[in-house]
């Protein structure tokens, strides 16, 4: 199959590279000339394990290419995937669909024959209907089918998720669209992976409902962690005890500083706004959004409390700045709110992250940055472990204690056993565990 991928960001680039690895011919299109030139030179715009090698192999084999020319890229293809951004709109929190609609209109004008246009971007219910109206108005002479095909990619594990997904959700409204999408995803269906064909609006809602449910699980265990601290219980044992129940499951039951990233914050907010628009409010999700926003700054107060209630004039070291490990994504990362809370309290902040330093510096230009974990903690009055990168899981805690001005370790990911930290003489604070 011949595919054009409009948008070469996280979703578009990963999806395009994986489709080409399936044997399809794919061109990834982007208006950003610098990004396309970098991709042609083998330089990735994002950090994602295995992506550089995947792109290099498929470019070399002639299945994957990059372009800024949408018109030429769309000519003669079987399907066009729209994978542009849908950020939260300023002012009201709704998903900004202007990029999706603009891409749809341009694709329709450039089409040279029957076409399937696929919404890969995360979009609210009813977006596909508007895309269909736009393309039919632009090209009433062509058969253009519109499909919803939401992505379920975890940053840091996106290639594995694409090639071995739990399911592929396909919102189709015609037999022709079903046949084309079936052909595109045939390599997965041959492996017995579930192809979930549903109505287009249902597919759009599946994406939001899935992310909202996972956000609820994260927020639930975070509140249970607070209760554990108040009662002397251990949140890790509670999580294991409930996670073994197959109706609940163990995933997304790890207490921490709150969720962030490119999906959960904007998708939960967009679902809340959709509920309001359709007069079917999702009160649980509304509460989750509020609790999560408050929790991030509360983690800053937790660090301050560990330092005796004041950090004025003190240096606080943060290990890990991205919202999760194995990505350079800083969008809505808990570290942003934590840093602001510490700065507001008069502290100086020094940070280190294995992959997110460039992005962090753009968002937090007033803090100091170190070249490695040990340089980061040197002379600091406390160190907070914010993101559980693998390299932070085996720190020499004895060395950390010697380098710190005060032996305070605030573990916001519960990486270390309490007894191990205390064995090295650290004043150890964690999430939802008795000390």
């Amino acid at each position: 199959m011949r595919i054009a991928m409009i948008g070469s960001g996280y979703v578009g680039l990963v999806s395009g590279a994986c489709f080409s690895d399936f044997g399809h011919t794919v061109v990834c299109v982007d208006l950003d000339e610098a990004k396309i030139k970098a991709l042609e030179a083998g330089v990735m715009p994002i950090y994602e394990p295995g992506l550089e090698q995947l792109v290099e192999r498929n470019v070399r084999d002639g299945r994957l290419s990059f372009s800024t020319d949408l018109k030429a890229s769309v000519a003669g293809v079987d399907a066009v995937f729209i994978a542009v951004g849908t950020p939260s709109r300023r002012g009201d929190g709704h998903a900004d669909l202007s990029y999706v609609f603009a891409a749809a209109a341009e694709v329709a004008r450039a089409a040279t024959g029957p076409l399937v246009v696929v919404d890969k971007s995360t979009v609210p219910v009813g977006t596909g209907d508007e895309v269909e109206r736009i393309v039919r108005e632009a090209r009433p002479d062509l058969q253009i089918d519109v499909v919803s095909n939401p992505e379920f990619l975890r940053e840091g594990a996106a290639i594995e998720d694409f090639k071995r997904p739990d399911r592929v959700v396909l919102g189709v409204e015609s037999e022709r669209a079903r046949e084309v999408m079936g052909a595109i995803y045939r390599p997965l269906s041959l492996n017995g992976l579930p192809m979930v064909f549903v109505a287009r609006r249902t597919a759009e809602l599946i994406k939001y409902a899935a992310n909202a449910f996972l956000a609820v699980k994260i927020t639930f265990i975070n509140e249970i962690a607070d209760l554990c601290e108040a009662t002397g219980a251990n949140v890790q044992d509670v999580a294991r005890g409930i996670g073994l129940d197959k109706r609940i499951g163990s995933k997304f039951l790890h207490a921490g500083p709150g969720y962030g990233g490119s999906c959960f914050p904007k998708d939960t907010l967009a679902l809340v706004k959709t509920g309001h628009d359709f007069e079917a409010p999702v009160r649980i999700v509304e509460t989750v959004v509020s609790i999560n926003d408050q929790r991030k700054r509360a983690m800053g107060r937790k660090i301050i409390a560990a330092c005796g209630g004041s950090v004025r004039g003190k240096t606080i070291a943060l290990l890990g700045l991205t919202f999760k490990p194995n990505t350079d994504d800083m969008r809505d990362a808990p570290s942003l709110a934590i840093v602001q809370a510490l700065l507001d309290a008069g502290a100086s902040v020094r940070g280190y992250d294995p992959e997110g330093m460039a992005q962090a510096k753009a968002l937090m230009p007033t803090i100091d940055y170190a070249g490695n974990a040990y340089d980061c903690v040197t002379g600091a009055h406390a160190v907070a472990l914010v993101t559980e990168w693998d390299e932070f899981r085996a720190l020499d805690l004895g060395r950390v204690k010697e380098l710190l001005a005060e032996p305070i370790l605030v573990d916001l990911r519960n990486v270390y056993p309490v007894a191990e930290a205390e064995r090295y003489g650290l004043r150890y604070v964690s999430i939802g565990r008795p000390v």
Side-chain angles (χ1 to χ4, degrees):
M1 301 290 283
R2 295 162 298 172
I3 297 170
M5 186 69 63
I6 310 303
S8 297
Y10 185 84
V11 173
L13 183 55
V14 171
S15 300
C18 288
F19 278 139
S20 66
D21 213 42
F22 288 168
H24 302 307
T25 300
V26 181
V27 55
C28 290
V29 183
D30 204 286
L31 296 177
D32 188 336
E33 292 186 10
K35 180 188 289 186
I36 293 301
K37 287 182 179 178
L39 284 167
E40 290 176 332
V43 178
M44 299 300 104
I46 57 172
Y47 174 74
E48 177 65 33
L51 181 60
E52 183 176 350
Q53 296 80 1
L54 185 69
V55 169
E56 179 185 7
R57 179 172 69 249
N58 285 284
V59 168
R60 183 187 64 234
D61 293 344
R63 292 187 298 269
L64 179 63
S65 60
F66 305 98
S67 177
T68 58
D69 189 341
L70 184 145
K71 184 176 181 179
S73 299
V74 169
V77 300
D78 300 293
V80 175
F81 284 74
I82 296 176
V84 298
T86 55
S88 294
R89 196 165 61 193
R90 287 187 178 182
D92 62 7
H94 283 273
D96 183 351
L97 301 176
S98 58
Y99 304 109
V100 173
F101 295 151
E106 193 171 354
V107 165
R109 290 192 293 268
T112 58
L115 190 64
V116 173
V117 174
V118 186
D119 273 335
K120 197 68 174 169
S121 302
T122 299
V123 295
V125 175
T127 301
D129 298 349
E130 180 63 12
V131 169
E132 185 174 282
R133 185 196 65 79
I134 289 169
V135 299
R136 287 186 176 177
E137 185 177 277
R139 292 300 299 276
D141 57 312
L142 285 182
Q143 180 183 357
I144 302 180
D145 295 280
V146 178
V147 171
S148 174
N149 175 214
E151 53 83 18
F152 300 96
L153 306 179
R154 295 170 299 159
E155 293 187 47
I159 295 171
E160 176 72 13
D161 285 348
F162 195 99
K163 291 188 171 185
R164 296 170 183 82
D166 296 324
R167 77 292 199 199
V168 175
V169 175
L170 299 159
V172 300
E173 299 292 328
S174 71
E175 187 58 33
R176 178 176 175 275
R178 184 185 181 106
E179 290 175 359
V180 170
M181 298 309 296
I184 289 173
Y185 280 104
R186 184 168 291 119
L188 295 183
S189 62
L190 290 174
N191 290 332
L193 295 167
M195 300 287 120
V196 183
F197 285 95
V198 295
R200 192 168 57 210
R201 283 191 167 215
T202 302
E204 292 168 339
L205 189 53
I206 285 172
K207 168 64 176 182
Y208 279 113
N211 279 357
F213 187 81
L214 296 176
V216 168
K217 288 189 73 173
I218 293 169
T219 305
F220 172 81
I221 201 62
N222 283 340
E223 290 215 299
I224 294 297
D226 291 342
L227 183 58
C228 286
E229 290 184 16
T231 61
N234 187 317
V235 71
Q236 289 181 311
D237 292 340
V238 171
R240 183 169 184 269
I242 65 175
L244 288 171
D245 187 326
K246 294 179 181 179
R247 298 168 300 174
I248 297 173
S250 62
K251 294 183 178 180
F252 289 84
L253 288 180
H254 302 287
Y259 61 76
S262 62
C263 293
F264 286 5
K266 74 177 182 66
D267 291 355
T268 49
L269 185 58
L271 183 60
V272 167
K273 298 300 181 181
T274 299
H276 291 166
D277 286 349
F278 285 87
E279 297 184 358
V282 281
R283 300 299 188 199
I284 291 175
V285 183
E286 289 182 25
T287 302
V288 163
V289 171
S290 176
I291 293 170
N292 190 67
D293 288 343
Q294 295 169 30
R295 183 170 187 81
K296 294 176 185 178
R297 192 169 177 90
M299 294 299 100
R301 295 194 295 272
K302 191 176 187 72
I303 296 168
I304 294 169
C307 294
S310 175
V311 291
R312 188 164 300 279
K314 295 183 177 181
T315 297
I316 307 299
L318 299 188
L319 296 181
L321 301 171
T322 54
F323 86 97
K324 65 179 289 189
N326 297 322
T327 179
D328 58 357
D329 198 339
M330 285 291 301
R331 284 174 286 186
D332 281 296
S335 64
L336 298 172
I338 292 170
V339 164
Q340 192 59 57
L342 293 172
L343 294 177
D344 290 346
S348 297
V349 179
R350 185 188 306 136
Y352 167 70
D353 190 276
E355 292 292 340
M357 298 284 273
Q359 289 75 8
K361 288 176 181 178
L363 295 171
M364 300 183 291
T366 61
I367 73 171
D368 297 322
Y369 293 91
N372 59 61
Y374 296 108
D375 286 349
C376 187
V377 304
T378 299
H381 297 85
V383 55
L385 202 164
V386 181
T387 312
E388 67 276 34
W389 285 89
D390 283 346
E391 69 176 76
F392 301 149
R393 293 180 179 275
L395 293 170
D396 182 338
L397 295 184
R399 183 181 177 189
V400 169
K401 179 181 181 294
E402 293 302 317
L403 292 173
L404 286 166
E406 295 182 33
I408 302 171
L409 169 59
V410 183
D411 186 352
L412 299 182
R413 298 290 183 174
N414 290 348
V415 167
Y416 289 95
V418 175
E420 180 180 353
E422 292 182 335
R423 185 167 64 249
Y424 288 95
L426 288 162
R427 297 208 301 273
Y428 182 72
V429 176
S430 61
I431 300 289
R433 297 189 297 179
V435 177

